[in-house]
Amino acid sequence: MRILVLALRRIAWMPPTLLGLIAIVFTISRIIPADPARVIAGENASPAQVEALRQKFGLDLPLMQQFMRYLRDIVNGDLGISLYSQRPVVEDLLGRLAATFELAIAAMCLAIMIGVPLGVVSALHRNRWLDQVIRLATMAGLAMAAFWLAILLQLFFSMTLGVTPVQGRIDGWGPDQITGFYTIDALINGDGETFGKALRYLILPTATLAIPAAATIVRFTRAGVLNALSSNFVFYQTAMGLPRRTIIWKYILRSAFIGTLTQIGLVFGNLLAGAVVIETVFSWPGLGLFAYNSILQSDYNAIMAFTLFTGSVFIVVNLLIDIAQTLLDPRTR
Amino acid sequence: MRMRRLFRDRALLIGTVIISILVLVAVFAGPLATFPDHVTGFDPNHRLKAPGWQFLLGTDRMGADIYSRLLFGARLTILIAVTATGTAVIIGVPIGLIAGYFDGWASEALMRVSDIFLAVPQIVLAIAIAQTLGPNIQNVILALSVTYWPFWARLVYAETRSQRNEVYVEAAKAMGASPLRIMVMHILPNIAGSIIVRTTIGMGATILAAASLGFLGLGAPPPAPEWGRMIAESREFLPQAWWYATAPGIAILMVVMGFNLLGDGLRDVLDPRIRRGGGDGR
Amino acid sequence: MVAEKLLSVEGLSVHYITEGGTARVLDHVGFSIRHGEIMGLVGESGCGKTSLARAILGVLPGNAEVVSGKILFKGSDLLRLAPSEAEESIRGRAISFVPQDPFTSFSPLFSIGEQIRTLMRWKSPDRKPGEKVYGSGRRKRDRERVMAMLQAVQLPDPEGLLKKYPHEVSGGQRQRLMIAMALLPEPRLVIADEPTTALDVTIQAQILKLLKRLITETGASVLFTTHDLGAAWEICDRITVMYAGQEAETAPVQSFFDRPAHPYTKKLLDSLPTENSPLIGIPGRVPSLLNPPAGCRFHPRCTSSTEICHHKQPDVTEMGYEHAVRCHHPIMGGGQ
Ligand SMILES: Nc1ncnc2c1ncn2[C@@H]1O[C@H](COP(=O)(O)OP(=O)(O)OP(=O)(O)O)[C@@H](O)[C@H]1O
Ligand SMILES: [Mg+2]
């Protein structure tokens, strides 16, 4: 019961946050620029075109009225028209959501698979050479510009060794769309060949995104394990002669993982944000590449819609992780 | 003696060395550069030359010396990091102090606003702002400070909350000190340590974000020697011009790592709460 | 004579290596515990009670160093045992442990049942040495054991309790669980390090009575550390007083209270305002273990010290039946 109350309280906090986000995007797009119509129309528009735009989007109305219209449009699922493709931006964004999520989730899994064991090993070898090496690698992973790492990986694996494609998501037809995740769709269709192909395309962008994320996870896991190692219950279990392995893999790992999970929302958010940059390097047709192309084409509506959309996704994902974490920890259950 | 103790912490030592080198390089970019005029100029006869004695780190697509551009890029990096982070601190710290010291709906509202900013990935907001304002250095700085101030507001808010019922604050109140005086003269010095640590680490984050904006084409326009954009430019010329992206990437890595190490080291020195004693390592 | 001793600690010295230097936390400590006996270990805070308990269990902190001595358990030296052997067949089997703080000694993330099951998987008396699998037959028998034990420690609704998480259970109940878990492996020796300090005063007496009754039933021995002379009086057969890392006096409980031989013991007893109150201490400061005084460690606080106490460590003197004291000038009439 308590869990339900907690979950509801979290959910109740979501609408105001989303409203706040909308207000921020509105401020950026309509209040900051001296003449929003001018910015939306782009540099080469004639004064007549600008005027037409101003009329069309109601940019001459009082701000409050503009905001209400903006809000109403969003509630109706209308994030505006892409000035470049002349299509509703929402369609583009929704169509690309799966690609970004496939990448971010794959990276999250990889990051956990690398980060948790390394964090545990690092803590168990505290202050010995292995710990030092892992900590140095972690530092580097956190300090690297992701797009640079992406280029290095491309240079080495794709261009020099030729074992992975340089960029793109698949060659030839993608699998029949079910989930929108090519790897999973291929598996559902029982199409091993397509799965292999999809995986080869997925691997480098995933690795790029996963490395800084793994570094973050290593840090939190290490701290969590060290904390658990010095806890009273581990002392008790040691004094009662439970096998070291049981203590570590059962008790310590679980408590370190709960701590790490707190950070996973943050990490996943960073992954989504990182994807924006990484997708451009690998031409991965997700939200990030869309944003990048919109920047190149000065497609103003598209960028604002992207900001709003990504922000909302981020808020929802964080909410879900929050709830999951509450479920996992018996103290809050 | 005191310095000795400070540097017993290896992170602090290495961080200080790296950041000192960065500052020296930025200050003496002119004399250190082999082709100081290549910041704006170039030499079409030497396009995409591999590293060698003449061009230490090779040349770029315009035939400009990458080594020299890198040195001047350090100036740009420091400029962006210091002003953007500084502005974020200047916005965030007073908000955090006020919201932390006073109760009431205004405090609540301030913190809610910063929560909303924190609920969205910083780089996404920064992209939106930089795109609205147009690509140049001032706007990058503005975009970054607008998106990063809530980190300081949150931190200072929490610290102020934990300090405001301390005895020394009560004493100052009893002496009739004004809230402003208490906040600035009493609370701020007590929480300065954590602000400095956060700011140092924030510098690294700002540099990475600025580089990302540069990479996406939202940073300083050419021919400014911006490290992120140098890497973006290099992509066309891979895999032949491998040196093109390598050098600026390493520069970013070193500088960000320097700030992170410095921040970690400062934390051990300045933040007494997490300073560890000789615990037991079963 | 040897056979009746279950545990015998001889000349045990333990140092802690710290930033400030080497702390000589245990200095040639000697005492023994017989079969079925409850031995009380009392002394001021920091005198080394917990360190001694941890040394016996073989779980000293990482910066500790055993410098000399023997810990003979059923005739073999625990200090020479392979670490894997100590983990497998000593800790939690032959020698088990009741912690001071029942609040934090459970993992908060697993149900109580799960934590007891894990313990039984490795420490059940049914388990053969080296057995890795937890067969269903053994699981069933262990479950019955657990149920019986939970009744024995007077916990209501054992079934429901096993499903609960530690935070859902009161402190007194948790300590009953800790006692149950200590006895489930059918140990020969239970080390209880201040098992009631963290509890409400009203519950302390109940828990002590319970412990005493169960121990008497099982025939195990107990090493019981406490600040509380009253509690020691209640349940112990013999008492050892520690001072600054050395045992000062060991005596059967009756002669300990009636005829203390060590000036320190005497002062402790005199400082007791009423029978059931904890140690409140005596004038002077506990000496630094980094730099303990030469000679007798107690001499700076002792009113009957003489020249010899300043430079010569006293040897252990037998004062009477089972009554030993480490003092140059034991109180006359003490021991007899
Ligand atoms: N890991 C350690 N490193 C250094 N010194 C320690 C360590 N653990 C304990 N000590 C010190 O050793 C001395 C003995 O500690 P111990 O815990 O054995 O005393 P105690 O008699 O159990 O005290 P209390 O009654 O407070 O529990 C104390 O002075 C303590 O500060
Ligand atoms: Mg103790």
Side-chain angles (χ1 to χ4, degrees):
Chain A
M1 261 318 64
R2 227 155 64 82
I3 175 86
L4 210 68
V5 176
L6 280 173
L8 282 178
R9 200 179 298 160
R10 297 260 152 77
I11 293 170
W13 173 228
M14 207 174 69
T17 310
L18 286 175
L19 192 67
L21 172 65
I22 293 170
I24 290 174
V25 175
F26 180 79
T27 310
I28 294 172
S29 59
R30 300 285 174 85
I31 302 182
I32 293 182
D35 184 357
R38 177 88 249 165
V39 180
I40 295 174
E43 279 168 18
N44 306 323
S46 67
Q49 283 171 314
V50 173
E51 207 43 49
L53 258 178
R54 199 190 311 282
Q55 295 292 325
K56 187 171 163 208
F57 291 130
L59 297 176
D60 44 358
L61 298 171
L63 276 178
M64 204 53 216
Q65 219 168 323
Q66 281 190 47
F67 184 65
M68 294 321 284
R69 267 177 73 163
Y70 188 66
L71 208 57
R72 190 194 61 209
D73 287 348
I74 290 169
V75 170
N76 292 330
D78 176 8
L79 293 184
I81 305 285
S82 158
L83 298 173
Y84 177 76
S85 69
Q86 296 297 330
R87 285 167 15 104
V89 187
V90 169
E91 284 178 19
D92 283 336
L93 289 171
L94 282 176
R96 286 157 174 266
L97 190 59
T100 297
F101 262 82
E102 181 175 33
L103 186 56
I105 291 173
M108 191 80 234
C109 295
L110 186 63
I112 292 174
M113 282 185 323
I114 301 171
V116 170
L118 280 186
V120 173
V121 167
S122 186
L124 295 180
H125 288 248
R126 180 182 183 179
N127 290 343
R128 279 182 276 164
W129 68 267
L130 191 56
D131 181 33
Q132 310 281 13
V133 170
I134 293 175
R135 282 168 72 190
L136 191 69
T138 307
M139 282 251 161
L142 287 173
M144 235 181 285
F147 52 87
W148 179 66
L149 175 65
I151 290 174
L152 288 194
L153 291 179
Q154 270 182 342
L155 192 58
F156 186 68
F157 287 102
S158 311
M159 298 174 182
T160 310
L161 296 183
V163 290
T164 52
V166 178
Q167 46 177 231
R169 197 177 175 198
I170 195 110
D171 44 324
W173 292 103
D176 291 346
Q177 302 273 310
I178 301 165
T179 60
F181 291 15
Y182 284 3
T183 43
I184 293 182
D185 286 346
L187 282 181
I188 294 175
N189 295 332
D191 182 351
E193 199 194 324
T194 311
F195 175 73
K197 268 197 222 159
L199 202 60
R200 269 163 38 87
Y201 277 93
L202 186 60
I203 219 154
L204 280 195
T206 302
T208 311
L209 272 180
I211 285 176
T216 310
I217 293 177
V218 168
R219 287 195 101 163
F220 285 111
T221 309
R222 181 177 182 276
V225 170
L226 284 181
N227 205 355
L229 271 173
S230 63
S231 71
N232 258 341
F233 67 83
V234 167
F235 173 68
Y236 172 72
Q237 289 156 355
T238 312
M240 283 301 272
L242 289 189
R244 198 74 188 142
R245 250 174 301 131
T246 306
I247 299 178
I248 290 169
W249 291 109
K250 182 166 183 155
Y251 292 102
I252 293 181
L253 215 60
R254 172 80 72 101
S255 52
F257 194 71
I258 293 270
T260 304
L261 198 68
T262 331
Q263 305 303 327
I264 280 187
L266 190 89
V267 173
F268 195 75
N270 287 340
L271 280 179
L272 283 179
V276 173
V277 182
I278 292 311
E279 285 178 2
T280 64
V281 182
F282 290 102
S283 291
W284 185 266
L287 296 174
L289 189 61
F290 176 80
Y292 180 66
N293 288 333
S294 307
I295 292 171
L296 287 186
Q297 289 142 6
S298 295
D299 191 342
Y300 192 70
N301 270 353
I303 292 170
M304 290 307 141
F306 160 79
T307 306
L308 198 57
F309 188 79
T310 315
S312 316
V313 168
F314 192 76
I315 291 170
V316 172
V317 166
N318 267 330
L319 175 81
L320 293 179
I321 290 171
D322 238 24
I323 293 177
Q325 192 195 335
T326 320
L327 277 172
L328 263 172
D329 189 339
R331 280 165 297 189
T332 53
R333 235 182 337 228
Chain B
M1 188 58 215
R2 217 173 134 199
M3 282 312 243
R4 272 281 264 308
R5 270 194 50 179
L6 276 181
F7 288 125
R8 202 175 48 185
D9 195 332
R10 234 180 320 164
L12 194 60
L13 177 64
I14 301 173
T16 311
V17 168
I18 294 178
I19 302 308
S20 309
I21 291 175
L22 174 73
V23 172
L24 288 178
V25 160
V27 171
F28 297 109
L32 284 172
T34 43
F35 295 87
D37 54 329
H38 278 189
V39 175
T40 46
F42 46 86
D43 183 354
N45 296 328
H46 291 104
R47 296 181 68 231
L48 300 174
K49 284 272 184 300
W53 284 117
Q54 193 183 2
F55 303 104
L56 292 173
L57 297 175
T59 63
D60 67 8
R61 58 175 178 173
M62 310 296 280
D65 180 44
I66 292 181
Y67 166 71
S68 305
R69 287 177 64 77
L70 213 54
L71 297 185
F72 282 96
R75 284 190 182 172
L76 210 54
T77 303
I78 291 190
L79 175 74
I80 295 176
V82 170
T83 35
T85 317
T87 314
V89 170
I90 291 171
I91 304 172
V93 170
I95 289 184
L97 266 177
I98 292 168
Y101 187 78
F102 296 106
D103 286 306
W105 66 267
S107 300
E108 185 73 7
L110 280 177
M111 287 338 281
R112 288 305 171 213
V113 170
S114 53
D115 279 349
I116 290 164
F117 271 92
L118 290 175
V120 191
Q122 266 56 52
I123 189 75
V124 174
L125 269 191
I127 287 174
I129 297 175
Q131 176 72 12
T132 305
L133 298 174
N136 63 47
I137 297 187
Q138 290 93 307
N139 292 342
V140 169
I141 292 170
L142 194 72
L144 290 175
S145 20
V146 166
T147 48
Y148 277 90
W149 67 267
F151 286 102
W152 282 271
R154 261 274 152 227
L155 172 80
V156 172
Y157 172 80
E159 297 272 327
T160 307
R161 280 277 140 137
S162 73
Q163 295 286 319
R164 69 175 178 171
N165 294 324
E166 291 288 317
V167 182
Y168 73 91
V169 175
E170 297 293 342
K173 261 189 216 161
M175 301 276 290
S178 68
L180 181 68
R181 196 180 158 80
I182 294 177
M183 283 190 274
V184 177
M185 302 299 287
H186 297 275
I187 295 181
L188 197 55
N190 268 293
I191 63 177
S194 22
I195 297 177
I196 291 173
V197 170
R198 188 78 195 73
T199 304
T200 312
I201 294 174
M203 292 273 203
T206 312
I207 290 172
L208 275 182
S212 296
L213 289 180
F215 179 80
L216 293 175
L218 291 171
E226 205 275 321
W227 292 348
R229 224 207 31 256
M230 286 166 82
I231 296 176
E233 288 168 1
S234 76
R235 290 176 58 210
E236 278 178 61
F237 307 101
L238 291 177
Q240 289 74 27
W242 53 267
W243 61 87
Y244 200 155
T246 313
I250 291 178
I252 295 173
L253 174 74
M254 295 307 290
V255 170
V256 175
M257 204 146 146
F259 277 115
N260 287 352
L261 283 167
L262 192 62
D264 278 356
L266 283 175
R267 191 197 324 259
D268 291 343
V269 177
L270 293 178
D271 206 339
R273 269 162 308 173
I274 49 158
R275 211 180 284 159
R276 291 172 298 254
D280 72 348
R282 260 185 301 273
Chain C
M1 188 66 198
V2 178
E4 74 178 279
K5 285 181 185 165
L6 175 67
L7 178 88
S8 139
V9 174
E10 294 173 6
L12 181 66
S13 297
V14 171
H15 292 177
Y16 286 151
I17 317 296
T18 68
E19 280 187 18
T22 302
R24 297 197 250 160
V25 173
L26 297 179
D27 189 8
H28 291 92
V29 173
F31 79 107
S32 59
I33 301 177
R34 287 180 304 178
H35 287 280
E37 169 182 70
I38 300 187
M39 164 64 91
L41 193 61
V42 301
E44 288 165 289
S45 186
C47 69
K49 302 182 294 294
T50 298
S51 304
L52 181 54
R54 290 178 70 159
I56 296 169
L57 283 163
V59 288
L60 282 166
N63 61 337
E65 192 184 327
V66 179
V67 184
S68 68
K70 288 181 185 162
I71 301 176
L72 297 173
F73 180 73
K74 295 202 280 194
S76 61
D77 189 354
L78 294 182
L79 292 175
R80 290 169 181 277
L81 216 57
S84 59
E85 181 59 20
E87 183 182 279
E88 164 79 27
S89 59
I90 299 295
R91 287 205 291 281
R93 284 292 280 119
I95 305 181
S96 74
F97 177 64
V98 180
Q100 172 172 353
D101 186 356
F103 293 89
T104 53
S105 292
F106 280 111
S107 161
L109 303 177
F110 292 85
S111 70
I112 288 166
E114 175 67 19
Q115 297 189 49
I116 296 184
R117 204 188 70 90
T118 310
L119 177 74
M120 289 308 273
R121 168 174 190 158
W122 301 103
K123 300 296 169 184
S124 158
D126 259 7
R127 176 171 174 262
K128 292 172 201 66
E131 192 173 288
K132 291 236 158 36
V133 289
Y134 197 13
S136 65
R138 184 153 76 84
R139 229 176 319 189
K140 225 174 117 210
R141 267 169 290 153
D142 282 346
R143 194 176 162 76
E144 278 157 21
R145 270 177 216 278
V146 171
M147 284 304 161
M149 184 57 78
L150 293 185
Q151 305 240 284
V153 295
Q154 298 163 351
L155 281 165
D157 183 23
E159 289 282 353
L161 195 65
L162 290 182
K163 293 199 189 74
K164 287 192 178 162
Y165 282 86
H167 70 273
E168 300 171 316
V169 174
S170 77
Q173 290 191 330
R174 269 191 260 187
Q175 196 57 301
R176 281 169 200 269
L177 281 165
M178 284 291 164
I179 291 173
M181 287 165 80
L183 295 179
L184 274 168
E186 298 181 358
R188 300 308 313 143
L189 174 65
V190 176
I191 293 183
D193 190 8
E194 304 191 33
T196 56
T197 311
L199 299 178
D200 224 51
V201 190
T202 50
I203 306 173
Q204 289 185 3
Q206 292 174 19
I207 296 282
L208 287 178
K209 276 204 198 88
L210 178 77
L211 186 65
K212 168 114 186 166
R213 182 170 59 73
L214 288 171
I215 291 294
T216 318
E217 283 170 15
T218 58
S221 309
V222 180
L223 178 67
F224 168 64
T225 76
T226 182
H227 291 137
D228 185 349
L229 279 176
W233 164 254
E234 291 283 336
I235 71 165
C236 294
D237 301 313
R238 286 198 301 154
I239 296 180
T240 296
V241 182
M242 278 188 80
Y243 183 78
Q246 295 181 323
E247 87 285 7
E249 180 168 9
T250 304
V253 65
Q254 202 63 47
S255 45
F256 180 87
F257 281 94
D258 292 351
R259 299 180 294 277
H262 198 290
Y264 176 59
T265 316
K266 180 97 172 71
K267 288 211 154 126
L268 282 183
L269 294 174
D270 289 347
S271 72
L272 278 183
T274 60
E275 193 186 280
N276 270 321
S277 55
L279 289 185
I280 46 172
I282 56 173
R285 282 220 327 261
V286 183
S288 150
L289 295 172
L290 289 175
N291 195 6
C296 172
R297 285 189 169 188
F298 185 59
H299 84 258
R301 293 165 86 184
C302 185
T303 44
S304 42
S305 68
T306 59
E307 183 55 29
I308 188 170
C309 305
H310 290 247
H311 57 259
K312 187 175 181 301
Q313 286 228 1
D315 292 322
V316 179
T317 325
E318 292 287 335
M319 291 295 292
Y321 177 65
E322 294 196 317
H323 197 143
V325 62
R326 192 195 276 265
C327 180
H328 290 299
H329 311 295
I331 298 162
M332 281 307 138
Q336 259 80 60

